[in-house]
Amino acid sequence: MFGVLVAFAGAVFLAPITAEPASASTPHPDGKIAILDGQGNIYLMESDGSGLTKLIDPWNSGGSVVLWSPDGLRLAFTSNGYIEEADGGMYVTTLGGDARRVTSEDLTGVPYSWSPSWSPNGAKILYVGGSDLGIYTVDVAYGTVELIVSPEPQIGEVSTGFESPTFSPDGSRIAYVERSTSYVSGGDLPWSKPRVVFSGAIFVADADGSNAVRITSSLSPAGSSTKYVDDDHSPVWSPDGTSIAFASGVPGDQVSSVLVVVDADGSDRRELTDGSDKVLYPTWSPDGRSIAWSGDSDSFVIDVDGSKLVVLGPGSGPSWSSNSSRIALNTAYDVVTVNRDGSAYTVLDPAGLPEDSWVLDHDWQPAFPPVGLVDPGQGRWSLKGWQGEMSTFYYGNPGDVPFMGDWDCDGVDTPGLYRQSDGYAYLRNSNSQGVADIKFFFGNPGDMPLAGDWDGDGCDTVSIYRPSEQVFYIINELGSQDTGLGAADYSFMFGNPDDRPVAGDWDGDGVDGIGLHRDSTGFFYWRDTLDTGVADGSIFFGDGGDRFVSGDWGTIPGRDTPAVFRPSNGIVYFRYSLTEGNADTWFPWPDATSAHVPVAGNF
């Protein structure tokens, strides 16, 4: 709905949420690539192959999987033996190499934990393990293990087990494979051995393993050598949780399979490939538009509508950069990166990696736009930068309204506080605990702050929105040391009662405009100019109860777009353009509470 220009007296503004970006644009980073080699060593390197560091140096070889946590701050990996532990299991390590075992023979009955999958909030890991090879979860912080799905007992020559359990993006469900193993005759010759035949089906269940429903394949007729008609395996959720992609083949056919997408309830089956090659390790792009997978020798990518099939080149185990522009593969001794369109196939040759190091697995680190959470009741700020670095400090009094801006024009955003009781602004020029570097009075008690670069000079100033009038008061200067400011440079009406004000450069012209988020409908309205008028644009983004924030996320240089913090699940959802659609990426914040409000900027 465009044409928003309504003003009412006596409006009540609810939770204050603001976010103001620095004027300078910061490009979206790639994140690091983790490598697991055949000796159980884990390395980290930049996406161009530089900066190789050894993170884990175990005394015993083994392991098969390395997997980034959703927040990009930890790695899970499997190992046959590590440090002083005789048994293998699954480990979690920080980026400082502080690793600890979270599953072991003591807990699960076997020295291996297969197919790990992080929960979206990073609190649990889902995996196959135990003496019964069931599906388990382990609480990463406390080591509490829970069996959530038990396999059926072996019937005759057919045994069943589980593979590839994985959490849905919102953590409410899991998908997994029940795969049967049977043996058929290999021929009549004396030296012929029985041939192994797999069949499988995809199941979806609640996160605790209850209410499981088979969504693919069907049971074989009585007397068949396989349990299921098809061999379905390797399920992966779409980023929005509405669909599942998987590989589907004919039992006993080890040569070919097809890439299939179904709705999460099993309906609307779409085959995206023709079955002329294998489908292994399918993985969905973070933006939800494409699926990559490995074939017999090359890897491929295709859009989810079946168009734009691209041969990426030799390599397997595709993992995506967080901005969905590139894909990493591993060959026998190398890691390669390639663009989504198949161009720029590059073999990385990191200095320091042994030439004979066999690459078993790799994973590309999630890299997220810089965002922070503030608990106004405690004055506690937590700011997460592009590479996962976290800064935590205390600043402010209970009830102060937090925001951020570049007050000294150095390209770095730092904290600001607005004290609604007296209209004072308190600004710091560093992201650390301390007293205000700048303080001044502007506005009336009850006004709401927003910061922006209103004249394109590279410096942010503090302006206000007056809920009682639905009027913005914009000024292009900062006060100093308890002095007040004069009249606003711009004042104009925009919005409806209870709309939440934000600022941002919506059109990329270097000058910030204003915006409003309407909690009652989930619509965001913005204006590119600092005057009264109808909205220049509007989009729907977020659910009721979400807390809105805007910032330059680095994908469209110099432009600000929305994000929302969802207190109900502790996740921040980002949209990379001012267009309708689902979140382009999301970031879990495990210790977030309902008290937190989001801030953003170039930290």
Side-chain angles (χ1 to χ4, degrees):
M1 171 173 68
F2 292 79
V4 178
L5 174 56
V6 183
F8 296 86
V12 178
F13 188 82
L14 301 178
I17 312 295
T18 62
E20 289 68 45
S23 298
S25 174
T26 302
H28 195 297
D30 282 333
K32 299 180 184 295
I33 297 177
I35 302 171
L36 173 68
D37 74 5
Q39 301 302 314
N41 302 298
I42 294 177
Y43 298 87
L44 297 180
M45 66 179 178
E46 302 298 333
S47 62
D48 61 0
S50 65
L52 183 78
T53 59
K54 183 182 287 189
L55 183 64
I56 297 296
D57 187 7
W59 67 272
N60 192 7
S61 64
S64 59
V65 175
V66 62
L67 183 67
W68 285 102
S69 61
D71 60 8
L73 299 178
R74 294 167 294 170
L75 284 162
F77 63 96
T78 58
S79 178
N80 294 348
Y82 174 75
I83 310 178
E84 297 177 356
E85 304 289 349
D87 299 323
M90 183 161 52
Y91 291 78
V92 170
T93 180
T94 66
L95 301 191
D98 180 19
R100 61 187 180 87
R101 191 171 60 176
V102 296
T103 72
S104 69
E105 187 172 8
D106 299 332
L107 299 175
T108 62
V110 294
Y112 302 106
S113 304
W114 304 100
S115 302
S117 170
W118 288 89
S119 62
N121 64 4
K124 293 184 177 182
I125 296 177
L126 184 71
Y127 66 99
V128 175
S131 58
D132 56 359
L133 294 181
I135 298 178
Y136 287 78
T137 60
V138 59
D139 187 294
V140 175
Y142 301 103
T144 305
V145 172
E146 182 180 0
L147 174 65
I148 62 171
V149 184
S150 298
E152 295 180 4
Q154 181 169 338
I155 301 175
E157 297 299 320
V158 179
S159 61
T160 61
F162 297 121
E163 294 179 3
S164 308
T166 180
F167 278 105
S168 64
D170 65 0
S172 66
R173 295 170 294 171
I174 61 172
Y176 60 89
V177 181
E178 183 181 81
R179 211 172 192 199
S180 72
T181 304
S182 58
Y183 300 88
V184 300
S185 173
D188 298 329
L189 298 175
W191 55 82
S192 298
K193 296 181 179 180
R195 184 164 57 94
V196 179
V197 176
F198 296 104
S199 69
I202 312 295
F203 286 74
V204 170
D206 292 342
D208 62 1
S210 63
N211 301 316
V213 176
R214 176 169 49 82
I215 66 167
T216 75
S217 194
S218 57
L219 291 170
S220 296
S224 299
S225 60
T226 61
K227 183 173 183 177
Y228 294 106
V229 171
D230 301 315
D231 183 21
D232 296 339
H233 57 90
S234 305
V236 287
W237 292 88
S238 63
D240 63 6
T242 62
S243 303
I244 294 174
F246 62 95
S248 181
V250 176
D253 181 357
Q254 304 300 312
V255 177
S256 62
S257 50
V258 296
L259 177 66
V260 181
V261 174
V262 296
D263 290 350
D265 61 1
S267 63
D268 193 18
R269 177 186 172 104
R270 291 95 72 194
E271 294 187 1
L272 303 188
T273 62
D274 60 8
S276 59
D277 201 348
K278 292 180 181 178
V279 174
L280 302 169
Y281 317 116
T283 178
W284 221 298
S285 63
D287 63 12
R289 297 183 175 95
S290 306
I291 300 171
W293 75 95
S294 299
D296 188 49
S297 58
D298 291 322
S299 284
F300 305 84
V301 65
I302 195 171
D303 281 359
V304 294
D305 62 3
S307 65
K308 298 180 182 177
L309 173 64
V310 173
V311 180
L312 297 174
S316 63
S319 64
W320 289 86
S321 64
S322 59
N323 62 5
S324 301
S325 65
R326 290 196 291 166
I327 300 165
L329 310 168
N330 63 260
T331 61
Y333 297 102
D334 299 296
V335 175
V336 303
T337 59
V338 58
N339 289 339
R340 160 66 181 81
D341 62 4
S343 64
Y345 182 92
T346 304
V347 178
L348 305 181
D349 187 19
L353 188 68
E355 291 185 3
D356 60 349
S357 183
W358 187 272
V359 178
L360 291 179
D361 194 28
H362 72 280
D363 197 25
W364 207 321
Q365 181 186 27
F368 297 94
V371 70
L373 291 183
V374 183
D375 184 344
Q378 300 183 36
R380 188 173 188 267
W381 297 63
S382 299
L383 308 179
K384 181 180 181 296
W386 288 103
Q387 300 294 341
E389 66 275 18
M390 186 74 71
S391 175
T392 301
F393 55 91
Y394 287 88
Y395 180 57
N397 293 344
D400 288 347
V401 181
F403 56 100
M404 301 199 77
D406 182 3
W407 319 123
D408 57 3
C409 316
D410 66 351
V412 177
D413 289 326
T414 51
L417 297 167
Y418 192 77
R419 195 155 291 164
Q420 288 183 296
S421 60
D422 57 14
Y424 261 85
Y426 300 87
L427 313 179
R428 275 188 63 73
N429 284 323
S430 63
N431 287 311
S432 61
Q433 189 167 328
V435 299
D437 296 301
I438 304 170
K439 59 178 180 176
F440 57 90
F441 171 82
F442 183 58
N444 293 343
D447 289 345
M448 309 307 304
L450 68 162
D453 180 3
W454 314 112
D455 57 5
D457 66 352
C459 305
D460 289 331
T461 56
V462 180
S463 297
I464 59 168
Y465 172 72
R466 188 160 293 162
S468 61
E469 303 171 354
Q470 284 79 61
V471 172
F472 287 86
Y473 294 91
I474 307 297
I475 195 164
N476 283 319
E477 60 180 312
L478 294 175
S480 62
Q481 306 314 320
D482 293 303
T483 61
L485 288 172
D489 294 304
Y490 308 91
S491 62
F492 53 91
M493 299 177 66
F494 184 61
N496 288 353
D498 298 340
D499 289 348
R500 305 188 183 204
V502 294
D505 186 356
W506 318 121
D507 57 3
D509 66 353
V511 178
D512 284 335
I514 53 91
L516 293 166
H517 187 252
R518 187 158 298 164
D519 289 354
S520 60
T521 64
F523 270 88
F524 169 56
Y525 304 91
W526 68 89
R527 277 192 61 74
D528 295 321
T529 56
L530 299 174
D531 53 17
T532 297
V534 299
D536 290 310
S538 69
I539 59 170
F540 176 81
F541 187 64
D543 293 339
D546 289 349
R547 297 176 181 177
F548 193 85
V549 68
S550 63
D552 180 355
W553 313 133
T555 55
I556 306 178
R559 294 198 179 191
D560 294 314
T561 54
V564 293
F565 166 62
R566 187 161 295 166
S568 61
N569 62 10
I571 292 177
V572 183
Y573 297 91
F574 299 91
R575 182 74 180 155
Y576 288 158
S577 62
L578 289 173
T579 57
E580 297 280 356
N582 296 315
D584 290 300
T585 191
W586 48 268
F587 167 71
W589 206 296
D591 58 355
T593 70
S594 60
H596 282 100
V597 296
V599 293
N602 183 22
F603 306 145

